[in-house]
């Protein structure tokens, strides 16, 4: 089969990762066991995830004119990701401060940096080039680490160059109904599902993911997916289904699990897999990712996922 083409409009960051025995409590100082600086950002990670599974991936975004930006661009070129529409700005590259403990739990703080400079006009330039050259993308993939107005604008215009618009609404933020209606695949975790749906989250309140995913399905143009970490997840499209995490998985770092899942899910869908099968395969990709340290460095390749 011809390699599918994917456009990712998304973020870049330099992940500053530290490992600690436990995540510090309020007022507590913890000593880091290790420190590493690695390429990251949800857009970047998902682009690499799909490239490693065989897709031809192009990115729209921005990095700073600094060592971090040069590191990220070099890593993308090694992964054969097209970076012609990635702008280099005078400011700093986005930064993510990632802390991971011995239980594989993490906390992440992001600073947008150059990501905050991505504009609707920059997206329009990339889409105009696709139209002018007759390029039709098998999928356009977005997240919430860019300005949300840019995300909404991209979704409204990307229908001109693709029949599959994928939104990973992370970090959590409300999404206008007119935008959701254009989304073909919405991927969220439990917290993000509540925010997108506009639901309150009082402590101890009962929450049924099957009911929640069905409600989201009524608002999106196609498939709604809720990931539930080690509990698997649920999806609703033409039919509702669930998936589980492969047995025997011992997580050491969950940082890139969501991006591995999204990348593999999109890859499976554009290759014609049924939604439930694509989600189960995506769960396997996430399970592989959590068994290695780092986000992007842990993303699996096709030979490991489909062996």
């Amino acid at each position: 089969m011809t390699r599918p083409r994917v456009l990712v409009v998304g973020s870049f960051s330099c992940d500053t990762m530290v490992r600690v025995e436990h995540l510090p409590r309020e007022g507590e100082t913890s000593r880091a066991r290790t420190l590493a600086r690695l390429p990251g950002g949800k857009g970047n990670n998902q682009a690499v995830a799909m490239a490693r599974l065989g897709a031809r991936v192009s990115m729209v975004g921005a990095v700073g004119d600094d060592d971090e930006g040069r590191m990220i661009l070099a890593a993308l070129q090694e992964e054969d990701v097209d970076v012609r529409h990635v702008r280099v700005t005078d400011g700093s590259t986005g930064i993510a401060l990632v802390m991971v403990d011995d239980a594989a739990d993490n906390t992440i703080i992001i600073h947008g940096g150059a990501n905050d400079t991505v504009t609707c006009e920059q997206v329009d330039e990339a889409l105009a080039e696709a139209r002018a050259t007759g390029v039709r993308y098998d999928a356009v993939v977005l997240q919430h680490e860019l300005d949300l107005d840019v995300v909404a604008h991209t979704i409204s215009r990307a229908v001109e160059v693709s029949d599959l618009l994928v939104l990973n609404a992370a970090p959590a933020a409300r999404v206008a109904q007119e935008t959701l209606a254009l989304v073909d695949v919405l991927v969220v975790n439990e917290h993000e599902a509540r925010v997108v749906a506009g639901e309150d989250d009082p402590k101890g309140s009962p929450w049924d993911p099957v009911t929640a995913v069905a409600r989201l399905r009524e608002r999106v143009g196609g498939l709604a997916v809720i990931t539930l970490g080690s509990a698997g997840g649920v999806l609703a499209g033409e039919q509702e289904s669930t998936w589980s995490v492969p047995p025997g998985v011992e997580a050491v770092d969950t940082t890139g699990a969501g991006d591995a899942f999204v990348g593999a899910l999109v890859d499976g869908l554009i290759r014609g897999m049924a939604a439930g099968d694509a989600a189960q395969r995506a769960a396997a990709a996430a399970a592989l990712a959590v068994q290695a340290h780092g986000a992007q460095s842990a993303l699996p390749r096709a030979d490991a996922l489909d062996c």
Side-chain angles (χ1 to χ4, degrees):
M1 126 177 224
T2 304
R3 288 175 66 193
R5 302 184 69 125
V6 178
L7 178 67
V8 177
V9 181
S11 60
F12 300 94
S13 71
C14 174
D15 288 355
T16 300
M17 304 192 65
V18 295
R19 294 196 61 83
V20 295
E21 180 179 356
H22 64 269
L23 300 179
R25 295 174 286 273
E26 182 179 353
E28 180 183 7
T29 298
S30 294
R31 181 178 293 274
R33 291 176 171 173
T34 62
L35 182 147
R37 295 168 68 251
L38 303 167
K42 283 190 170 295
N44 187 7
N45 292 343
Q46 292 174 19
V48 170
M50 289 179 282
R52 289 185 180 179
L53 296 178
R56 298 171 60 186
V57 182
S58 300
M59 276 209 72
V60 177
V63 298
D65 186 12
D66 51 22
D67 290 342
E68 291 80 7
R70 286 183 280 275
M71 171 187 69
I72 287 169
L73 291 178
L76 280 172
Q77 289 165 347
E78 288 183 3
E79 300 287 351
D80 196 28
V81 173
D82 179 3
V83 296
R84 289 178 301 111
H85 293 291
V86 177
R87 288 183 176 172
V88 178
T89 72
D90 291 334
S92 62
T93 298
I95 297 292
L97 306 177
V98 184
M99 191 179 304
V100 183
D101 69 8
D102 287 348
D105 294 324
N106 63 60
T107 61
I108 303 174
I109 300 173
I110 62 174
H111 178 264
N115 295 311
D116 296 338
T117 71
V118 177
T119 63
C120 297
E121 290 75 19
Q122 182 182 350
V123 172
D124 287 343
E125 290 174 7
L127 299 181
E129 179 184 286
R131 292 193 303 271
T133 56
V135 170
R136 188 84 183 163
Y137 290 103
D138 294 279
V140 175
V141 182
L142 302 103
Q143 314 79 30
H144 274 175
E145 287 185 345
L146 299 182
D147 183 282
L148 296 184
D149 289 338
V150 174
V151 174
H153 175 83
T154 302
I155 291 172
S156 70
R157 298 294 301 276
V159 293
E160 302 169 5
V161 299
S162 179
D163 293 325
L164 187 69
L165 306 187
V166 181
L167 175 61
N168 175 209
R174 294 291 299 273
V175 182
Q177 181 53 46
E178 57 266 28
T179 299
L180 279 179
L182 297 174
V183 171
D184 298 296
V185 181
L186 173 70
V187 183
V188 288
N189 64 21
E190 176 180 343
H191 171 63
E192 293 151 2
R194 290 180 183 267
V195 174
V196 171
E199 298 177 358
D200 293 330
D201 187 14
K203 289 185 178 180
S205 62
W207 187 78
D208 176 22
V210 175
T211 300
V213 79
R215 289 175 178 169
L216 286 176
R217 169 65 180 86
E218 295 173 354
R219 300 183 60 192
V220 301
L223 180 68
V225 179
I226 300 179
T227 61
L228 300 171
S230 61
V234 295
L235 63 86
E238 293 183 0
Q239 295 180 335
E240 294 181 8
S241 64
T242 62
W243 70 87
S244 59
V245 173
V249 175
E250 294 187 9
V252 298
D253 185 352
T254 60
T255 307
D259 297 328
F261 180 91
V262 172
L265 176 70
V266 174
D267 180 78
L269 293 174
I270 61 182
R271 293 177 188 277
M273 296 180 67
D277 294 336
Q280 189 64 62
R281 178 172 177 262
L288 289 171
V290 303
Q291 296 177 72
H293 294 297
Q296 194 170 119
S297 57
L299 298 171
R301 299 185 183 276
D303 55 355
L305 180 58
D306 297 321
C307 63

